[in-house]
């Protein structure tokens, strides 16, 4: 199956516009991170999360008032569509103590509406700090491994441009989490370990798409003059466009179904992967390959292929 067969789009012609769009998105995200920060889950901030399910419909404000009167502070949000609520709180006592406090408060003040504590999780502040640093180290290690792999397979310019594109993708998705975090009750966009897994997924997907483009460039660039690099890169991007759109499109549809029908616990992960694949596809075409071209053009250097001579 092929779509967009034999296209002749001049992608490099629009690279500066693409650079500008990327800069705006990254700066907006960084400003939000600076002033608003991230909506951390209990994995990274510590505290407790409790899911309470009621037998009958009840307004969230009424449940919030009951818990507040009982001395349980925190945020309470609708959780799914089955009369369940998610309480996030920084509770200094034991898990059993928190469970008993909630049980007694709800039973005494809402006797006509039976309830069940479906899930309760707690993470101490020290463990949360350790998890945060471990997640950061995992992300940096993955980027270093990708840099090494692409550097060995191609050359330093290609590897560096590929890692820049991955940073570009991750920073934009991170910025979206900061900008949109906490705004929508159906999608809290909390930063936790599942989101780090999503970032690693995005990094792997992005570099895979980029390597496909790099492979096509390498096939065509051997023995060609630097003056022909612009034409070769444009042709390579057009020749891989059909594959890029089909692969990304089918993956996006799958993740979109997951986002729509999965519960709130998975929705943040699905959003991160969806946004990451969308942005990663864009960066493979408008960021990674154009950076290689601009680097070659500015330094007036040639491409040194692995296992071959300079061309």
């Amino acid at each position: 199956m092929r779509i967009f067969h034999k296209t002749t789009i001049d992608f490099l012609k629009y690279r500066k516009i693409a650079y500008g769009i990327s800069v705006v998105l990254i700066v907006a995200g960084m400003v939000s991170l600076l002033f608003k920060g991230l909506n951390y889950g209990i994995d990274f901030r510590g505290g407790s999360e409790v899911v309470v399910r009621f037998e009958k419909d009840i307004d969230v404000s009424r449940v919030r008032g009951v818990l507040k009167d009982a001395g349980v502070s925190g945020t309470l949000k609708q959780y799914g569509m089955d009369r369940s609520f998610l309480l996030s709180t920084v509770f200094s006592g034991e898990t059993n103590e928190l469970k008993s406090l909630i049980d007694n408060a709800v039973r005494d003040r809402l006797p006509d509406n039976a309830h069940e504590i479906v899930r309760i999780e707690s993470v101490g502040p020290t463990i949360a700090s350790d998890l945060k640093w471990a997640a950061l180290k995992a992300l940096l290690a993955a980027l270093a491994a990708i840099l090494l792999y692409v550097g060995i397979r191609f050359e330093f310019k290609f590897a560096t441009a590929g890692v820049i594109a991955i940073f570009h993708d991750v920073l934009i998705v991170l910025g979206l989490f900061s900008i949109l975090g906490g705004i929508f009750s159906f999608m809290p966009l909390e930063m936790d370990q599942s989101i780090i897994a999503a970032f690693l997924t995005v990094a792997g997907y992005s570099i895979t798409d980029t390597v496909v483009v790099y492979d096509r460039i390498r096939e065509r660039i051997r023995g060609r003059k630097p003056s022909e690099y612009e034409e070769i890169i444009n042709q390579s991007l057009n020749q891989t466009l059909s594959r890029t759109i089909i692969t990304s499109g089918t993956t996006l549809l799958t993740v979109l179904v997951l986002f729509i029908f999965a519960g709130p616990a998975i929705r943040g992960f699905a959003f991160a992967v969806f946004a990451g694949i969308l942005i990663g596809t864009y960066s493979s075409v408008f960021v990674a390959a154009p950076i290689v071209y601009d680097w070659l053009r500015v330094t007036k250097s040639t491409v040194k292929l692995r296992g071959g001579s300079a061309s």
Side-chain angles (χ1 to χ4, degrees):
M1 178 181 178
R2 289 184 63 84
I3 57 176
F4 298 100
H5 186 52
K6 294 183 179 180
T7 57
T8 56
I9 303 171
D10 188 354
F11 289 103
L12 294 181
K13 177 182 177 181
Y14 304 105
R15 70 187 187 281
K16 293 183 179 178
I17 297 174
Y19 291 164
I21 293 172
S22 295
V23 168
V24 169
L25 291 174
I26 291 173
V27 169
M30 293 303 100
V31 170
S32 179
L33 283 168
L34 181 63
F35 291 99
K36 182 182 177 183
L38 290 166
N39 185 27
Y40 287 112
I42 64 168
D43 289 354
F44 293 155
R45 76 168 188 272
S48 299
E49 281 189 348
V50 185
V51 177
V52 185
R53 180 183 297 147
F54 288 87
E55 187 178 76
K56 304 174 185 176
D57 290 336
I58 186 170
D59 188 71
V60 64
S61 60
R62 190 178 177 192
V63 180
R64 188 179 292 119
V66 168
L67 295 176
K68 184 178 179 181
D69 292 341
V72 181
S73 60
T75 59
L76 185 74
K77 299 177 182 177
Q78 193 83 31
Y79 189 77
M81 304 297 291
D82 59 347
R83 301 180 296 279
S84 296
F85 299 90
L86 174 65
L87 169 68
S88 297
T89 178
V90 181
F91 187 75
S92 57
E94 297 292 330
T95 301
N96 289 335
E97 184 182 348
L98 175 61
K99 183 178 183 299
S100 297
L101 185 62
I102 295 173
D103 268 334
N104 293 333
V106 174
R107 189 181 300 112
D108 293 343
R109 297 171 185 268
L110 302 170
D112 57 337
N113 195 347
H115 76 282
E116 174 190 6
I117 293 183
V118 179
R119 174 172 61 86
I120 181 166
E121 296 179 356
S122 295
V123 177
T126 302
I127 295 176
S129 178
D130 291 343
L131 288 173
K132 189 185 299 183
W133 282 111
L136 181 60
K137 290 175 184 176
L139 189 57
L140 293 176
L143 292 175
I146 289 171
L147 179 64
L148 180 63
Y149 163 73
V150 182
I152 292 173
R153 184 166 177 180
F154 297 95
E155 67 161 61
F156 181 73
K157 296 182 185 68
F158 285 85
T160 305
V163 171
I164 289 173
I166 293 174
F167 269 110
H168 163 278
D169 303 342
V170 171
L171 286 175
I172 290 179
V173 176
L174 191 66
L176 289 175
F177 265 72
S178 176
I179 294 170
L180 302 177
I183 294 179
F184 304 107
S185 59
F186 69 92
M187 182 180 68
L189 294 185
E190 291 184 338
M191 184 62 58
D192 54 26
Q193 291 187 87
S194 69
I195 304 305
I196 300 302
F199 284 158
L200 294 173
T201 302
V202 167
Y205 191 96
S206 178
I207 199 63
T208 299
D209 209 26
T210 300
V211 164
V212 170
V213 177
Y214 283 177
D215 266 331
R216 188 55 57 90
I217 293 172
R218 182 170 59 177
E219 290 171 4
R220 302 177 58 83
I221 208 168
R222 188 183 298 276
R224 306 293 286 272
K225 299 176 182 178
S227 59
E228 299 176 283
Y229 286 173
E230 180 176 2
E231 178 186 357
I232 291 168
I233 292 175
N234 267 323
Q235 288 176 349
S236 299
L237 289 169
N238 278 284
Q239 289 171 2
T240 56
L241 184 62
S242 177
R243 180 264 179 199
T244 298
I245 291 176
I246 291 173
T247 305
S248 299
T250 52
T251 309
L252 285 172
L253 284 174
T254 304
V255 178
L256 183 60
V257 170
L258 183 65
F259 175 83
I260 294 172
F261 294 104
I266 290 294
R267 199 161 283 146
F269 173 85
F271 174 83
V273 174
F274 184 89
I277 290 174
L278 200 62
I279 296 163
T281 303
Y282 157 82
S283 71
S284 296
V285 176
F286 288 108
V287 177
I291 286 177
V292 172
Y293 169 72
D294 279 328
W295 195 336
L296 293 170
R297 181 178 58 84
V298 171
T299 60
K300 301 185 186 302
S301 58
T302 56
V303 176
K304 294 179 174 60
L305 298 173
R306 297 300 181 190
S309 58
S311 58

